[in-house]
């Protein structure tokens, strides 16, 4: 049986989520989706995720809270922050907080390839 690598996507329903799922599938990862921090807290200890994608602002928290949960449950898992804000300060804040990367979402087709 092949080893399936999982990607956790923490993002509300909608077009952004669909684009992220499509991008993850293109890379051969199996997406597991949730809508908020509380759901992520439940899912993170249950599986080994290759990568975590999360929106910068969630209904019940933000990417900083996600980073803390990931650090406590699986510290080697990279977290990619997704935001509609495309500015240098936001990028630096996310990386300074421990994010692996900061991507403007929805991603443009070139970034998603």
């Amino acid at each position: 049986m092949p080893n399936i690598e999982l990607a956790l996507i923490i993002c509300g329903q909608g077009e952004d989520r669909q684009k992220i799922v499509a991008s993850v599938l293109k890379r051969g990862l199996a997406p597991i989706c949730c809508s908020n921090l509380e759901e992520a807290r439940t899912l993170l200890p249950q599986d080994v995720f290759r990568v975590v994608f999360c929106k910068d602002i969630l209904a019940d928290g933000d990417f900083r809270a996600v980073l803390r949960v990931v650090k406590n449950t699986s510290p080697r898992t990279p977290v990619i922050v997704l935001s509609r804000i495309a500015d240098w300060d936001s990028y630096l804040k996310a990386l300074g907080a421990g994010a692996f990367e900061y991507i403007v979402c929805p991603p443009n087709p070139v970034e998603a390839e």
Side-chain angles (χ1 to χ4, degrees):
M1 176 185 264
N3 186 16
I4 298 173
E5 292 188 309
L6 302 174
L8 180 61
I9 300 169
I10 311 166
C11 179
Q13 300 288 340
E15 187 178 333
D16 287 354
R17 183 190 242 180
Q18 292 171 1
K19 288 181 178 182
I20 298 161
V21 167
S23 181
V24 163
L25 287 169
K26 283 182 183 178
R27 284 162 182 75
L29 299 171
I32 305 291
C33 297
C34 65
S35 298
N36 58 47
L37 178 61
E38 192 57 39
E39 291 174 6
R41 280 190 178 123
T42 301
L43 290 170
L44 279 161
Q46 294 179 14
D47 283 301
V48 176
F49 292 96
R50 174 72 178 92
V51 63
V52 173
F53 293 88
C54 75
K55 290 293 281 190
D56 57 343
I57 300 170
L58 303 166
D60 58 350
D62 65 9
F63 73 91
R64 288 175 189 87
V66 171
L67 287 166
R68 285 190 295 272
V69 173
V70 171
K71 182 178 179 183
N72 289 331
T73 58
S74 53
R76 292 180 171 230
T77 303
V79 176
I80 298 174
V81 177
L82 309 166
S83 178
R84 292 193 176 269
I85 301 169
D87 74 354
W88 187 245
D89 287 338
S90 297
Y91 175 82
L92 292 177
K93 285 178 185 174
L95 268 58
F100 177 77
E101 184 60 272
Y102 177 95
I103 298 174
V104 176
C105 189
N108 71 42
V110 173
E111 289 176 346
E113 292 301 318

